[in-house]
Amino acid sequence: MQDEHFLKNIFSPKTFTEKELELIIPKFKKISFSKSDYLLKEGKIENHYWFIESGFARSFVNDTKGNDITTDFYGQGEIAIDWSSFFLRNPTRENIQALTDIECWQLDFDTFQELFHSIEPFREQGRKKLVGSYFALKNQRVSFIADEAKERYLQLVQEKPHIIKNVSLQHIATYLGITKYSLSRIRKEIAS
């Protein structure tokens, strides 16, 4: 096993024993997606846990008028997943799509369950990721109600600056719940 393996950034040798890493890392499969490819389509059950090694993806839903609205962004080292579909085994309402060419490490549901129930640090890390995702979603939901669009944009700049630099304004605008023209105005305001 290579010392430089990307997944050792995810599953740190400080947290996992070498034996645990030898059980975990070979279970992942490296998958490449081209820009615009789907990792997950609406109506399907999420069967994979994806760690992004390079590139960017987004999740989105279609509103009642058929507009696609970005619900999240994923970049290097992040998990691209619909958590509720993955764990509850329900068809998803979201799509996850590559915004650039991406390299991912895929773990299927059954293997995830096997590792989750047999390796305590894997279980603990999985719980932390799930809880962190829940809190981020909760904070985003409250922000839509309590914050102005400019505050939401500044929060995104602070939390995910790599997204601002690498994702289209249209996708960022729908994520923030505003038009791309409003986003342009906010960006000009901040720059001056």
Side-chain angles (χ1 to χ4, degrees):
M1 191 173 339
Q2 298 175 358
D3 288 322
E4 286 77 44
H5 198 292
F6 168 75
L7 290 174
K8 284 197 174 180
N9 296 315
I10 305 296
F11 303 105
S12 168
K14 294 176 185 174
T15 306
F16 294 85
T17 67
E18 193 60 37
K19 185 177 179 186
E20 289 167 337
L21 292 174
E22 288 172 5
L23 291 171
I24 295 168
I25 291 176
K27 302 282 187 182
F28 281 84
K29 179 179 175 184
K30 191 166 189 176
I31 306 283
S32 298
F33 291 95
S34 298
K35 180 180 180 178
S36 301
D37 284 351
Y38 285 83
L39 286 73
L40 178 65
K41 283 193 172 185
E42 179 180 1
K44 302 288 184 191
I45 294 175
E46 176 70 89
N47 283 313
H48 299 101
Y49 197 86
W50 307 94
F51 280 108
I52 296 182
E53 181 171 355
S54 63
F56 296 91
R58 74 176 178 124
S59 54
F60 69 93
V61 296
N62 293 301
D63 70 9
T64 57
K65 296 176 183 167
N67 302 308
D68 72 68
I69 308 297
T70 300
T71 54
D72 210 346
F73 296 107
Y74 312 98
Q76 183 179 20
E78 295 178 322
I79 300 169
I81 190 170
D82 177 338
W83 291 101
S84 61
S85 178
F86 187 75
F87 284 110
L88 300 176
R89 313 307 298 147
N90 292 328
T92 183
R93 294 183 69 187
E94 288 187 294
N95 298 281
I96 300 178
Q97 185 179 37
L99 293 173
T100 63
D101 291 348
I102 59 175
E103 298 286 326
C104 295
W105 289 90
Q106 173 199 77
L107 187 66
D108 66 78
F109 176 79
D110 292 334
T111 307
F112 175 88
Q113 290 295 323
E114 172 192 318
L115 294 172
F116 187 85
H117 293 292
S118 65
I119 300 174
E120 195 276 327
F122 185 89
R123 181 172 46 253
E124 189 55 34
Q125 182 169 323
R127 282 186 184 139
K128 285 180 183 176
K129 296 275 187 195
L130 179 59
V131 168
S133 178
Y134 169 77
F135 285 131
L137 181 61
K138 180 73 170 171
N139 289 338
Q140 180 188 10
R141 188 170 178 198
V142 169
S143 181
F144 262 88
I145 297 166
D147 297 334
E148 296 290 329
K150 182 178 178 180
E151 292 174 81
R152 293 195 304 272
Y153 176 74
L154 290 171
Q155 188 70 28
L156 182 62
V157 169
Q158 181 182 8
E159 292 176 359
K160 294 187 174 191
H162 57 287
I163 295 299
I164 302 299
K165 295 175 188 168
N166 294 287
V167 172
S168 78
L169 289 182
Q170 178 63 36
H171 294 320
I172 292 170
T174 64
Y175 176 76
L176 296 171
I178 59 177
T179 67
K180 65 182 177 180
Y181 305 108
S182 295
L183 179 56
S184 291
R185 182 182 46 76
I186 289 168
R187 289 167 53 102
K188 284 179 189 169
E189 209 176 284
I190 291 167
S192 54

